[in-house]
Amino acid sequence: MKKIKILVVDDEIKLLQTVTEFLTLQNFSVMQASSGSEALKIFTENKKEIELILLDLMLPDISGYSVLREIRKISDVPVIILSARSEVTDQMNGFEKGADDYITKPFSLGLVKLHIEAVLKRAGKMKNILECGKIKIEKGRQLVYREDEMLEMTRREYELLLYFIEHKETVLSRETILNAVWDYDYAGDVRTVDTLVKQIRKKLGDDCNYIHTVYGIGYLFEDKADEK
């Protein structure tokens, strides 16, 4: 799957590296800039690929506002300001100059991720993707990936895997699964679920051993590959 590319602009090198490493772990592709002029150069050369910018305001050469103004002359790429300036007037100024969002420092990395996802969704740049461990599901097209490898799955296999992920860390009986995935009171053998689970496990591989058997009940999905 093509990764969303983000440009992170901040002159605090430690923070720049921390944000970059975090976003990389979240499966984004990240470019870095530690000054305003560097940010403009990188964006101009890669504007067709960069889909979001995290922009600090207090840069060593030109201000983040100046960077934002120049970017807005050539692009409507989503921009999230990251700034220690927390006054309401500063935030209003950021939005007036074309920012899509504003996060004040200090911030949690988890919060930044949520803001990025929200902005990308509003901009129509983020597909309806569900991630769990090494598995990604593109719900709109009903596609399943193990990391970047697309897996061939039948409709029932896809529906069962999606149901497991949406109800992870919950023990599900075979009867519950049948009624949910088949969408009616299934009159057949509950071992149908076992057969389907076996097929899914085989396709996911040993390194995605997320579906655990709960003896006498059914199954439990956890997004870590440890044995039960």
Side-chain angles (χ1 to χ4, degrees):
M1 294 175 66
K2 181 179 176 292
K3 295 182 179 180
I4 291 174
K5 183 168 289 187
I6 296 176
L7 172 59
V8 182
V9 187
D10 202 302
D11 66 326
E12 295 180 54
I13 302 303
K14 185 176 180 180
L15 178 61
L16 180 63
Q17 193 59 39
T18 298
V19 172
T20 297
E21 290 175 357
F22 173 75
L23 293 179
T24 300
L25 287 173
Q26 301 303 314
N27 208 40
F28 292 104
S29 175
V30 183
M31 303 185 78
Q32 298 179 338
S34 56
S35 69
S37 56
E38 184 184 14
L40 288 173
K41 181 176 185 296
I42 290 174
F43 182 73
T44 301
E45 294 174 351
N46 300 273
K47 63 181 179 181
K48 291 184 179 180
E49 299 176 18
I50 294 172
E51 299 186 72
L52 184 138
I53 300 174
L54 295 180
L55 178 63
D56 183 30
L57 289 181
M58 293 181 282
L59 299 171
D61 50 355
I62 58 178
S63 74
Y65 287 135
S66 296
V67 174
L68 178 57
R69 182 172 59 249
E70 292 304 310
I71 287 174
R72 282 291 171 257
K73 290 179 181 179
I74 58 174
S75 174
D76 60 355
V77 62
V79 176
I80 299 177
I81 290 176
L82 304 178
S83 178
R85 298 178 181 175
S86 59
E87 295 295 327
V88 173
T89 53
D90 292 316
Q91 297 181 45
M92 291 176 63
N93 195 22
F95 286 116
E96 289 170 356
K97 292 183 183 300
D100 295 88
D101 205 346
Y102 195 111
I103 303 175
T104 58
K105 297 179 180 180
F107 50 75
S108 72
L109 293 172
L111 178 65
V112 171
K113 178 176 181 286
L114 291 176
H115 278 259
I116 288 173
E117 290 175 346
V119 169
L120 288 172
K121 286 176 182 177
R122 289 200 302 269
K125 293 179 178 290
M126 194 169 193
K127 296 173 183 174
N128 192 6
I129 294 176
L130 183 65
E131 297 187 40
C132 190
K134 296 182 180 180
I135 302 171
K136 297 184 188 70
I137 294 182
E138 190 177 323
K139 295 172 71 174
R141 298 168 61 195
Q142 297 191 1
L143 297 177
V144 178
Y145 297 83
R146 181 183 57 231
E147 296 184 321
D148 290 329
E149 176 191 1
M150 189 175 76
L151 303 178
E152 294 291 337
M153 288 201 168
T154 66
R155 182 171 65 89
R156 285 287 185 231
E157 289 168 352
Y158 167 82
E159 290 172 350
L160 178 53
L161 180 60
L162 178 62
Y163 184 71
F164 274 139
I165 292 176
E166 290 180 336
H167 296 82
K168 68 178 183 178
E169 299 182 8
T170 301
V171 176
L172 302 168
S173 71
R174 290 172 175 82
E175 291 80 7
T176 297
I177 294 169
L178 282 171
N179 290 336
V181 175
W182 273 257
D183 202 28
Y184 62 90
D185 291 330
Y186 188 69
D189 196 324
V190 292
R191 285 178 295 182
T192 300
V193 175
D194 299 336
T195 300
L196 210 56
V197 167
K198 184 178 180 180
Q199 294 169 193
I200 295 172
R201 280 172 169 165
K202 183 177 180 180
K203 292 183 178 182
L204 293 180
D206 294 337
D207 60 337
C208 291
N209 182 29
Y210 302 145
I211 306 173
H212 306 295
T213 302
V214 180
Y215 182 75
I217 302 176
Y219 294 96
L220 169 68
F221 188 99
E222 292 184 311
D223 58 349
K224 51 184 180 294
D226 57 348
E227 294 293 335
K228 287 289 178 184

